[in-house]
Structure formats: C-alpha cells, structure tokens
Amino acid sequence: MLFYNTRHGEKILFSEHYVNLLLVDGHQGLEIKRHEVLTFGQKRLSLQQKSAVRRNISPAELFSSANGVRPVKKVLVTGVAGIGKTILVQKMLFDYGRNNDHLAFDFIIHMTFRDLNLIDKPTNFRELVLRKNRHLAKVLDNILANDSKLLIILDGFDEFRHYRSCDVDIFVTEPDEDAEVKEVFGSLMLGELLPNASVMLTSRPAAINHIPVGCIDRFVLITGFSLAEVQDFFLRYFQDSVLAERMFTVVSANELMLTLCYIPAFCYIVCCILKESKDLSGESPKTMTDIYVQYLVALLRSHTQARAETFLQDQKTGTIQQLSDIVLKLGRLAFHKLMEHQTLFYTSDRDVEALEGSSLVSTFLDKTVAQEPGCTEEVFSFAHLTVQEFFAALYCAVTDQTLPDALQTSGEATNNGHLDLFNRFLCGILSERNATFLSRQVGLCCTKEKVETYREKIITELKMLCENGAHVLNCLHCLFEQQDSSLAAAVQPRTLRVNVSDETLSQMDYNAIKYFLNLTKGKISELDLTGTGVSCDALRDIQPLLLRCENLW
C-alpha cells in the first residue's frame, strides 16, 4: 500500500509512513460558525484539557462497548480536512490484512463516496459490492447472511454529491432491492438494511449535520498528531535522524508552523517546504499565506528540477510562462469548485479537461480512479482543502475575477466560515511583499491597482467595524496576513472598540488581535473578550495594552 498522498514519482510505503492518530471518544457540537481548520487548534487544546471525561481509543477499540451493555454498531469518525480519516481507514485495512488489528469481524467491505458519485441510476447493495469485487459473487450470500460479523466502511461522506439530501423516507430491507444510492445508504445507516452489520462512516465536520445522528452509537473525533508524533513524522519523512531533528528545531521556533503540524496533511506540506528550501534559510514564514506561497514555489522548483531544468530561469523556452499558465488553470479549477462547495473534480469537468497533458498537474493534484462496470473515470483533488483555497485566492488575485458575493459587502464574512481562509489568503497574496515575490518567482502578477484597492477595503472595513463595535476577528486576520504596519496606522477609528466575543480563541486568533492592538495608538474604548476562553494568564503578556483599555469584558 502506498501512502495516500504520495507525490508523482515517489514510492513511499504506507507501512513506513503511518503514525498513530489521537482519537477522542465523544459527540461534538454540530453548530459550525467558523472554518473547520481555523478552529482546530483551540478545539484540540480544549479536548486535551477535558481528558478526564474523554478517553483515547485505538482503532481496534472502535466497536468495543464502553460499559459492556449497549452494543456499538454505527460509528461516525469526524475530523477536519487532512486530519487523517482516510489514513485511519487504510490503517484498519492494512492491519486487518496482516491479522494485527484484533477486530472481531470475519469480513470488511470498504467503499468510498468518490466511487459512489459515479452511480446515477437505481442500484442495490449487492451490486454496489460486486461492481468492483466480482470475485465475491459466489460467497457474498454467505457474507451478508452472517452480517453480525460484517464491517462496512464508508469513507468520505462529505465528498458525496448527494450528502445534503440523505434524509430519505424510502428504505430498502434486502441487499438485492433496487433504490437510489442515497436511499441504500440511508437504509444501511438506520438499520433497515443488514441490521446486524457494523458500519463506520467518516466525514468532515461540514457535512455531519446531514447524517441521521440518532442512529449513531459512537462519535469519534480525530484530533491529529501529538508533539511526539510530529517528531516521528519528520523522522519518517526525511529518513535521517540528524536532518529530521534539525528541521524539527526550525519548525519548533515558528509557532504558526508548529501549530499547523498537528494536522497530518499540514505536516506533510511543511516537510515539502523544508525539503526544498533547505531549512528556511531566508525569512521564516509569519502567516498562513507565507507558508502556502513557499509551498507553491517549493513544488514548482521540485517539478522543474526533476526534469533537469534550471528553476524558472530559462526565459527563452518560456518556462515561466508555461508554469504560470498551468498555475492559473489550476486556480480557475480551484475557484469555481470552491464556490460550488466541491473538492472532487472528475475528468468530465470542463476545467479538468483544460489541464490534460500537463505534467505539473500531478504535482498539485491527487488522483484516484473511480470504476463502474464499463466506465473508468479519474478523480482529482488538491492535496488538502486549504491548498484548493489558496489556489482559488491566487486565481482571484491575478485575474479580473470578481470577488464572491459574500465578500463584496462590508462586514464579517458568513457562510459558516466557508470563505474565511480564502479571504485571508487573498489578503496575503495581495500584500506588496507576497505580490512582489510571486511576480519574481512564478511570473504571476497582481496589478498595483488591485493591491491598492484591497488595502483600502481592509482599512475601510476595519475602521467601520471598530467604530460600531461589530465583530472584527476575521478582519483582524486579514490585516495580519498583510504584515504591513502602515495599514493599522491608517485605520484610526474615532473610537476603538474591539469585539472578538463568543469565539473560542486559538493561538492564531490571539496573535492577530495582539498584532493589531500593538500597532494602534491612544485609548481602547472597549475590548470585548466575552466567551472567548482567554484566561488571566494569557492576558499578562498584553498588560501594556490593558492599561490603555477603558472597558474590558
């Protein structure tokens, strides 16, 4: 088994790169107000602090009853993009195949919603199994008849095209009874179909409101790497203990990068940057945008070096133009699919067809093959949701693409945080320093007019929000991504009211607030920290700011 996000040309065995994941038993709230990745850090700390009422469990314990009374049949595994849901599934299959898992099942059926998306006509559960496993035709009846010893794993519910319409009132009770895919799925989850079978469903938080949670016996949240596992990942990635330790020391000195490394997919991205930039000998990244700009350049450098080309130097053969053209096509794909809430792209999509034949595509897109009888289709996705958001923002920054409607009006973005990170990336890319860097390294140019227009947008919005005492956190992050002290100086509201209430603040939130307040002058009329979870200890390092504050809540 190859590591799931192995890059083009790499041969990384899954058994060499898997590290243990921290699973926390317990149902999490379904209300989503902010981007899932941005809330991850604080939720992880909160769960660790509540370890007395949460218990860590291993994959082998997923279906074991905690009290020995109520059987655990339906398990929902959730976690943010890139946290390791698919890797957990691979680990379970890997261990089951080697008899190392201790799961009390005679058979496991594994399906992905990427494959199920290709089915556009009524089908039945038997056919869903046999369509890719014809060798089971003679034994499937025995497997389904012994459903108490059967585990069905359904991976990636958030990628299901019909996930918003799974609350069905049509059910099937027999494996060979035809219905729409979503009806077969609903029947399985609610126990109408194969009632004694165990089912494990994985999903990002964005989709769990559409799952019939009343039938779930156990909710499990994957909370990513521990610090020791981050170190272990570095060792496995670099395959050299001295080099791995040196790289980990570099990351440990950068609070932002270390925080992101608790998410496995981010850890991989950071390692890619370190591998190409040789320990960040230049300026260390200060913002999310900085990290992703360096990631883009690192992978482009790796791509061109792999083809014995001098990185972005050969003007005569048009290397820069070729690369920038492909990056723009990737950006167009990322932008349009992000606006449609889609993270999977099929070869039948027009924007995917435009990328056909480009060797650069495999550098940034993961590819899987979805199969149906008589039909095979390649399915693409970016290495991580945030990579798609970065490319979408890059496309918006360097073309005449208008802003999404939700960002056209002044004030804090809504959409359950759907565009929060896109907006931050856009602000960071349109900063003078990143715009100059991208122009020089990749040949992608943001017009000076667009840079200035966005600067004015940030100033105007921040001034208005501070004067009105409206919620200001997202706007503070946009300011932080720019890393331009003159912007904060230009705000100068008549009254400075900073409202970041009713949000559990992560370290990144806290840094953005401090950055702004340290750059402002005069009295702070109000600082509203109600419901943020900020402790007195955390406030000590901004004591000089508190002395300027007339009202602290």
Side-chain angles (χ1 to χ4, degrees):
M1 292 180 71
L2 289 179
F3 194 56
Y4 88 105
N5 57 0
T6 299
R7 302 252 60 84
H8 180 67
E10 292 179 335
K11 294 271 185 173
I12 304 174
L13 291 179
F14 175 75
S15 57
E16 295 174 358
H17 263 257
Y18 179 79
V19 294
N20 292 324
L21 297 166
L22 180 65
L23 293 93
V24 182
D25 203 4
H27 179 36
Q28 304 301 309
L30 299 183
E31 184 182 11
I32 300 172
K33 296 196 295 184
R34 296 180 63 196
H35 192 290
E36 61 186 51
V37 172
L38 301 178
T39 61
F40 166 76
Q42 189 60 36
K43 174 169 277 192
R44 191 179 196 283
L45 291 174
S46 175
L47 288 169
Q48 287 177 330
Q49 292 164 1
K50 296 176 180 177
S51 58
V53 294
R54 309 284 186 191
R55 73 182 184 96
N56 298 344
I57 59 175
S58 69
E61 296 176 298
L62 283 172
F63 291 90
S64 62
S65 178
N67 52 24
V69 178
R70 184 184 176 187
V72 176
K73 288 292 185 182
K74 304 293 192 301
V75 174
L76 171 60
V77 179
T78 64
V80 302
I83 199 69
K85 298 180 294 297
T86 295
I87 288 213
L88 170 63
V89 170
Q90 284 190 312
K91 171 66 173 172
M92 292 175 69
L93 296 174
F94 186 77
D95 285 349
Y96 185 80
R98 302 198 323 176
N99 295 318
N100 288 342
D101 65 326
H102 311 296
L103 287 171
F105 298 105
D106 290 344
F107 206 86
I108 297 180
I109 293 173
H110 171 227
M111 298 181 187
T112 70
F113 284 96
R114 294 188 178 198
D115 282 346
L116 297 180
N117 282 338
L118 295 180
I119 303 173
D120 56 3
K121 58 185 180 182
T123 186
N124 57 63
F125 185 78
R126 181 189 301 277
E127 186 56 35
L128 288 179
V129 176
L130 293 179
R131 65 194 182 91
K132 294 183 72 173
N133 303 281
R134 290 293 171 188
H135 60 285
L136 297 178
K138 294 182 179 179
V139 296
L140 187 57
D141 284 343
N142 289 336
I143 292 171
L144 298 181
N146 189 26
D147 59 348
S148 62
K149 289 289 187 177
L150 172 64
L151 170 60
I152 301 167
I153 299 178
L154 300 167
D155 188 26
F157 176 72
D158 54 282
E159 297 176 337
F160 190 28
R161 281 181 172 172
H162 308 292
Y163 81 78
R164 291 183 179 89
S165 56
C166 284
D167 187 13
V168 297
D169 53 11
I170 299 176
F171 303 103
V172 296
T173 57
E174 299 297 331
D176 54 1
E177 189 176 346
D178 284 355
E180 298 294 332
V181 173
K182 61 183 180 183
E183 293 165 354
V184 175
F185 165 75
S187 302
L188 191 63
M189 292 302 297
L190 292 170
E192 300 289 339
L193 175 64
L194 300 173
N196 298 314
S198 297
V199 180
M200 186 177 99
L201 181 68
T202 73
S203 178
R204 283 173 45 216
I208 61 178
N209 278 332
H210 302 280
I211 296 170
V213 292
C215 65
I216 302 296
D217 301 311
R218 170 166 287 162
F219 298 86
V220 176
L221 180 72
I222 301 181
T223 59
F225 287 155
S226 65
L227 186 62
E229 287 166 344
V230 173
Q231 290 180 285
D232 187 38
F233 187 93
F234 272 60
L235 179 61
R236 291 169 185 256
Y237 182 90
F238 290 106
Q239 301 287 306
D240 180 320
S241 59
V242 176
L243 178 61
E245 181 62 32
R246 182 161 64 87
M247 294 302 187
F248 182 76
T249 301
V250 171
V251 170
S252 297
N254 187 305
E255 185 178 63
L256 174 62
M257 294 186 79
L258 183 61
T259 299
L260 295 178
C261 277
Y262 289 112
I263 299 178
F266 273 122
C267 202
Y268 179 83
I269 288 172
V270 168
C271 286
C272 287
I273 296 171
L274 293 169
K275 180 181 178 182
E276 296 301 328
S277 60
K278 304 297 185 284
D279 79 0
L280 296 175
S281 53
E283 184 180 0
S284 184
K286 298 177 181 177
T287 70
M288 287 279 284
T289 308
D290 293 353
I291 290 174
Y292 281 76
V293 166
Q294 291 199 22
Y295 177 61
L296 170 65
V297 172
L299 287 192
L300 290 177
R301 182 185 290 122
S302 175
H303 172 81
T304 52
Q305 286 176 347
R307 286 156 180 76
E309 297 174 358
T310 302
F311 177 60
L312 299 179
Q313 296 298 318
D314 193 353
Q315 295 277 5
K316 294 181 181 178
T317 58
T319 301
I320 288 181
Q321 188 61 50
Q322 291 171 5
L323 291 176
S324 61
D325 286 349
I326 296 299
V327 169
L328 278 180
K329 288 179 182 179
L330 284 167
R332 174 185 167 84
L333 173 68
F335 179 82
H336 289 297
K337 295 303 180 183
L338 181 66
M339 296 305 111
E340 297 169 4
H341 295 256
Q342 292 185 21
T343 57
L344 297 182
F345 329 120
Y346 293 80
T347 46
S348 55
D349 292 333
R350 187 175 60 183
D351 288 331
V352 175
E353 289 177 353
L355 294 167
E356 189 175 357
S358 170
S359 60
L360 188 59
V361 171
S362 61
T363 301
F364 291 101
L365 296 182
D366 293 331
K367 181 177 75 172
T368 56
V369 177
Q371 293 180 319
E372 271 293 290
C375 171
T376 300
E377 188 163 6
E378 293 177 338
V379 185
F380 297 91
S381 63
F382 284 91
H384 190 256
L385 169 65
T386 54
V387 177
Q388 180 179 348
E389 292 169 309
F390 171 77
F391 268 91
L394 184 61
Y395 175 75
C396 196
V398 300
T399 67
D400 58 1
Q401 176 66 50
T402 57
L403 284 175
D405 291 341
L407 300 181
Q408 292 277 12
T409 56
S410 296
E412 293 280 89
T414 53
N415 288 307
N416 294 328
H418 172 56
L419 297 177
D420 285 357
L421 199 48
F422 166 84
N423 195 28
R424 294 186 198 180
F425 281 140
L426 188 57
C427 292
I429 292 167
L430 288 172
S431 67
E432 290 186 6
R433 61 199 189 91
N434 276 325
T436 301
F437 184 77
L438 285 168
S439 175
R440 185 173 68 249
Q441 295 286 353
V442 191
L444 291 171
C445 300
C446 308
T447 66
K448 187 173 182 179
E449 181 183 3
K450 202 159 195 174
V451 171
E452 288 299 323
T453 298
Y454 222 78
R455 282 170 56 89
E456 287 301 317
K457 181 178 185 292
I458 294 172
I459 293 170
T460 302
E461 286 192 7
L462 195 51
K463 183 176 181 179
M464 179 195 70
L465 293 171
C466 286
E467 288 180 349
N468 295 339
H471 203 270
V472 74
L473 188 57
N474 279 330
C475 203
L476 293 183
H477 276 290
C478 290
L479 178 74
F480 183 79
E481 290 294 327
Q482 286 259 326
Q483 287 292 302
D484 184 347
S485 57
S486 66
L487 271 179
V491 174
Q492 297 299 327
R494 291 189 299 273
T495 56
L496 182 55
R497 301 165 63 192
V498 181
N499 178 4
V500 292
S501 62
D502 298 323
E503 297 279 7
T504 302
L505 298 182
S506 67
Q507 187 61 48
M508 286 189 285
D509 296 330
Y510 192 55
N511 290 344
I513 296 167
K514 284 197 298 182
Y515 175 79
F516 173 61
L517 293 179
N518 279 324
L519 291 174
T520 59
K521 296 179 181 179
K523 289 290 184 182
I524 304 171
S525 300
E526 295 175 7
L527 177 57
D528 191 349
L529 298 170
T530 307
T532 60
V534 174
S535 66
C536 293
D537 287 339
L539 291 174
R540 285 174 185 165
D541 65 337
I542 60 168
Q543 194 65 35
L545 297 175
L546 298 182
L547 295 175
R548 294 165 45 203
C549 188
E550 295 177 342
N551 293 289
L552 175 63
W553 295 326

